[in-house]
Amino acid sequence: MEYVNPEGLRLDGRRFNEMRQIVAEVGVVSKADGSAVFEMGNTKVIAAVYGPREIQNKSLQKKNDHALVLCEYSMAQFSTGDRRRQKFDRRSTELSLVIRQTMEACILTELLPHSQIDIFLQVLQADGGTRSACINAATLALADAGIPMRDLAVSCSAGYLNSTPLLDLNYVEDSAGGADVTVGILPKLDKVTLLQMDAKLPMETFETVFALASEGCKAIAERIREVLQENTKQLEYRRAA
Amino acid sequence: MEGRFANLWRLTVNESKFVESALQSELRVDGRGLYDYRKLTIKFGKEYGSSEVQLGQTHVMGFVTAQLVQPYKDRPNEGSFSIFTEYSPMADPSFEPGHPGESAVELGRIIDRALRESRAVDTESLCVLAGKLVWSVRIDLHILDNGGNLVDAANIAALAALMTYRRPDCTVGGESSQEVIIHPPEEREPLPLIIHHLPIAFTFGFFNKGSILVMDPTYVEEAVMCGRMTVTVNANGDICAIQKPGEEGVNQSVVLHCLRLASSRAAATTKIIREAVEAYNRERSSQKVKRHHTLAKSEVSGPIVVVRKRQQQKKSSGQEKAAEIHFWLWLWWLIVTFWR
């Protein structure tokens, strides 16, 4: 099947280095301390952050003078085409672990000892790149909750089909059997926190795809910064009024 | 490690500081170099498809079984395989029996992704009747001793078990060629799985905010390290899977350095695995020849039976002769009596 036609257009009309449209909104769940909705094309994710609050389960605490970060990733049963049978399967467990560890790297946990930060992620529409959308949504929600972070954690995915590196795969491109590289970076510090890859790639091709995904991450970081600045302006405006 | 017993064992401040300061001078607590692996031994069990791998103190066993099932609707011509990990509580007091914890699920998924997405195991050859019956291969990994770096050891155990597994031969027959007959191993030699390449996992530990890199971390080093990365490569220079699950951020150059280190070691480890499998196969086939020797031994006990038979014959012939003499005497007496 042809995923990139000879003119260089993909199935949805994008070029190889174009991302899908991003729509982000902050402060959607009124009960939560911080929340956000993040859309990348048809993938829609909602994140809610509760914290810092008192530790509910002391046996989970590993480091006494650091905050405990808990994360739960789940896909709604209506998020994919066919109704999903189980909400929590092994993929959800692994993604909860991975996203938790990614956010832990960017939250300044030593400033909030003996407390717990809960991040709840719910995928409402899944069209490829859900874990990237979740990390971006979690970053926005944590910023909305006012939790101190050393940098914004942003994430983007890239793949390799028809001998072309492609940025921001959707579900059809992802299930084509080509490589899928998900990268999570801290843009100001220029450090890689999350890196996951599946399917075979020769070393040089991987470096190209990795560089493309990092570029995509930097573009998303710009967008997230814009959204947060816009949100702060709105808060200031309402306070002044 | 989570659950009630997750924090029963905690590294003391002294131990963690000792490990970290030793690493600053490029020394590891067990005397290895930064990129040295511990001793790897691969053993096999009696059954086809069972392997036992020891990497230093880490001990993992792998078992492969297969059964005929219906294929998935979107892949009617392909078999399937699944990996199950069992974190036995005897390996580590923080492992709880029953429901697998986060790290068990992660380990299973790393190995699963490396084998499945890189198409190491050929699934099309596992198809028996398209759309109706395919072989489903199940790999069970049992962790017996957690000495650190479970991913690498479990990966090698899975590969060794897959390479030595033999599935039963089956033929499609019957009236409408819809019946499948599975031949037992005595009737027809079981067949090996087709494995295109061996994806081998290499785990790195990061220390000191990502500036110090270590390969094959031990249990103590794992408790101290601030981040890790598992790179799965094969001997052809392909990268099959990468897993860096968050934690400490590292520079891009460090990531590429890890990939190069892993690629350079893939060939050596592949050779070790293939040699172990070949040695096992040779031993297995020589064992089949030995079975005939034991049959010859049982023939040695034959003559004892023969000797007994001859003695019996001797006894019976004596009795027969006496009866015969008795008959002739009686006949002679009869003739003498009635001839007068």
Side-chain angles (χ1 to χ4, degrees):
Chain A
M1 188 174 161
E2 207 185 55
Y3 294 99
V4 184
N5 74 10
E7 284 127 55
L9 295 175
R10 287 148 78 170
L11 292 171
D12 46 6
R14 288 184 282 153
R15 298 228 166 254
F16 79 97
N17 57 354
E18 272 175 41
M19 277 193 335
R20 293 174 288 180
Q21 195 195 27
I22 294 176
V23 177
E25 204 188 319
V26 171
V28 288
V29 179
S30 50
K31 187 81 167 51
D33 293 322
S35 57
V37 169
F38 198 86
E39 280 181 72
M40 284 169 87
N42 283 333
T43 300
K44 187 168 176 178
V45 161
I46 192 166
V49 166
Y50 288 84
R53 57 181 178 171
E54 195 190 337
I55 291 194
Q56 316 276 318
N57 190 358
K58 290 222 166 65
S59 64
L60 293 174
Q61 191 179 28
K62 280 187 204 163
K63 294 183 192 173
N64 262 329
D65 48 353
H66 288 248
L68 174 68
V69 179
L70 296 175
C71 175
E72 196 185 276
Y73 167 99
S74 72
M75 292 181 81
Q77 284 169 319
F78 47 81
S79 58
T80 51
D82 297 312
R83 190 180 169 87
R84 287 171 66 85
R85 276 177 296 122
Q86 283 171 312
K87 267 186 78 182
F88 292 107
D89 53 2
R90 292 159 74 188
R91 180 173 170 273
S92 304
T93 315
E94 193 210 350
L95 283 175
S96 303
L97 168 77
V98 163
I99 297 175
R100 186 189 86 225
Q101 289 182 179
T102 309
M103 303 323 294
E104 241 176 333
C106 83
I107 297 175
L108 289 162
T109 47
E110 57 269 16
L111 294 182
L112 305 162
H114 308 291
S115 67
Q116 163 177 321
I117 300 169
D118 283 302
I119 308 172
F120 296 102
L121 299 156
Q122 178 84 296
V123 177
L124 300 173
Q125 279 170 223
D127 188 27
T130 54
R131 72 192 74 186
S132 300
C134 282
I135 290 173
N136 298 329
T139 302
L140 277 172
L142 285 167
D144 187 37
I147 290 173
M149 296 196 281
R150 37 177 80 89
D151 200 348
L152 300 172
V154 286
S155 166
C156 191
S157 68
Y160 191 73
L161 283 173
N162 291 144
S163 316
T164 334
L166 303 172
L167 181 62
D168 197 11
L169 303 171
N170 57 25
Y171 180 71
V172 181
E173 290 167 342
D174 197 359
S175 43
D180 174 26
V181 177
T182 306
V183 175
I185 65 170
L186 302 173
K188 278 263 157 65
L189 298 173
D190 200 19
K191 298 250 183 180
V192 176
T193 38
L194 169 70
L195 178 57
Q196 282 187 309
M197 190 199 105
D198 51 22
K200 262 196 305 188
L201 270 188
M203 182 82 158
E204 299 75 31
T205 322
F206 171 74
E207 285 182 40
T208 328
V209 177
F210 183 36
L212 186 60
S214 306
E215 287 300 312
C217 288
K218 295 204 173 91
I220 295 182
E222 280 307 309
R223 189 80 178 82
I224 286 182
R225 222 166 266 136
E226 274 171 24
V227 170
L228 286 173
Q229 280 171 345
E230 183 61 40
N231 182 48
T232 314
K233 264 190 224 161
Q234 286 290 320
L235 289 171
E236 220 182 279
Y237 180 66
R238 268 182 246 150
R239 201 180 75 157
Chain B
M1 288 203 276
E2 71 301 302
R4 290 181 294 139
F5 301 113
N7 296 312
L8 273 188
W9 181 83
R10 271 200 224 177
L11 203 56
T12 58
V13 173
N14 269 342
E15 270 184 289
S16 55
K17 282 209 163 45
F18 180 67
V19 171
E20 274 173 6
S21 51
L23 280 169
Q24 305 268 7
S25 341
E26 297 199 1
L27 293 169
R28 284 172 87 169
V29 178
D30 52 358
R32 283 186 281 156
L34 288 181
Y35 307 140
D36 287 342
Y37 260 67
R38 292 170 285 179
K39 184 158 168 288
L40 173 68
T41 38
I42 306 175
K43 286 188 237 163
F44 300 92
K46 263 182 22 179
E47 302 274 318
Y48 281 126
S50 76
S51 67
E52 198 183 309
V53 169
Q54 265 194 297
L55 182 63
Q57 283 203 332
T58 304
H59 201 154
V60 178
M61 285 185 89
F63 298 94
V64 175
T65 46
Q67 81 180 130
L68 282 172
V69 295
Q70 270 199 336
Y72 289 118
K73 286 192 187 59
D74 51 346
R75 294 194 189 181
N77 294 332
E78 285 180 25
S80 66
F81 69 90
S82 45
I83 301 187
F84 292 89
T85 47
E86 174 96 23
Y87 270 42
S88 165
M90 72 171 160
D92 191 330
S94 64
F95 295 163
E96 285 191 2
H99 186 70
E102 272 181 340
S103 39
V105 171
E106 198 200 353
L107 184 137
R109 283 186 61 87
I110 294 174
I111 301 177
D112 183 89
R113 266 207 299 268
L115 288 174
R116 189 187 302 272
E117 306 286 338
S118 65
R119 303 198 191 282
V121 179
D122 186 61
T123 43
E124 280 180 7
S125 60
L126 297 175
C127 177
V128 177
L129 272 178
K132 297 236 175 72
L133 279 179
V134 295
W135 284 107
S136 169
V137 175
R138 179 188 162 125
I139 308 169
D140 281 282
L141 296 164
H142 288 256
I143 315 288
L144 301 176
D145 198 353
N146 182 10
N149 198 7
L150 290 172
V151 180
D152 293 11
N155 182 269
I156 295 177
L159 289 173
L162 281 169
M163 284 181 83
T164 52
Y165 178 66
R166 303 271 182 271
R167 64 166 174 86
D169 193 5
C170 54
T171 43
V172 178
E175 311 89 44
S176 54
S177 73
Q178 293 293 309
E179 265 179 36
V180 176
I181 312 155
I182 305 176
H183 300 278
E186 296 86 42
E187 230 180 84
R188 276 209 207 172
E189 201 58 35
L191 306 167
L193 297 172
I194 299 177
I195 298 176
H196 295 301
H197 62 97
L198 294 179
I200 307 194
F202 295 94
T203 302
F204 297 84
F206 300 116
F207 295 83
N208 195 17
K209 306 231 185 286
S211 55
I212 302 179
L213 193 63
V214 141
M215 275 182 97
D216 189 19
T218 57
Y219 191 55
V220 170
E221 285 168 346
E222 275 186 353
V224 178
M225 69 188 182
C226 59
R228 68 182 154 90
M229 184 160 98
T230 302
V231 177
T232 310
V233 290
N234 68 12
N236 304 335
D238 296 320
I239 307 169
C240 301
I242 304 178
Q243 170 88 346
K244 184 189 184 306
E247 296 174 315
E248 192 66 39
V250 293
N251 290 322
Q252 265 201 22
S253 52
V254 173
V255 171
L256 297 172
H257 181 53
C258 291
L259 292 176
R260 275 180 223 117
L261 274 172
S263 297
S264 61
R265 302 183 65 108
T269 314
T270 311
K271 199 168 144 220
I272 296 175
I273 299 177
R274 283 200 200 274
E275 274 172 11
V277 169
E278 262 163 54
Y280 169 73
N281 285 335
R282 271 200 304 268
E283 205 195 300
R284 201 78 202 214
S285 48
S286 70
Q287 263 182 5
K288 282 188 190 158
V289 177
K290 272 190 194 155
R291 235 183 270 143
H292 298 305
H293 291 168
T294 55
L295 274 175
K297 274 186 198 155
S298 65
E299 270 166 16
V300 172
S301 59
I304 303 169
V305 176
V306 172
V307 165
R308 267 189 235 120
K309 274 190 192 152
R310 263 194 238 131
Q311 282 175 345
Q312 277 174 350
Q313 276 174 0
K314 274 185 189 162
K315 279 190 194 157
S316 59
S317 58
Q319 277 173 348
E320 265 180 36
K321 273 189 183 164
E324 220 183 283
I325 293 166
H326 201 78
F327 169 70
W328 286 115
L329 276 171
W330 174 79
L331 196 64
W332 185 77
W333 175 82
L334 203 67
I335 294 165
V336 164
T337 315
F338 290 105
W339 196 43
R340 286 261 175 117

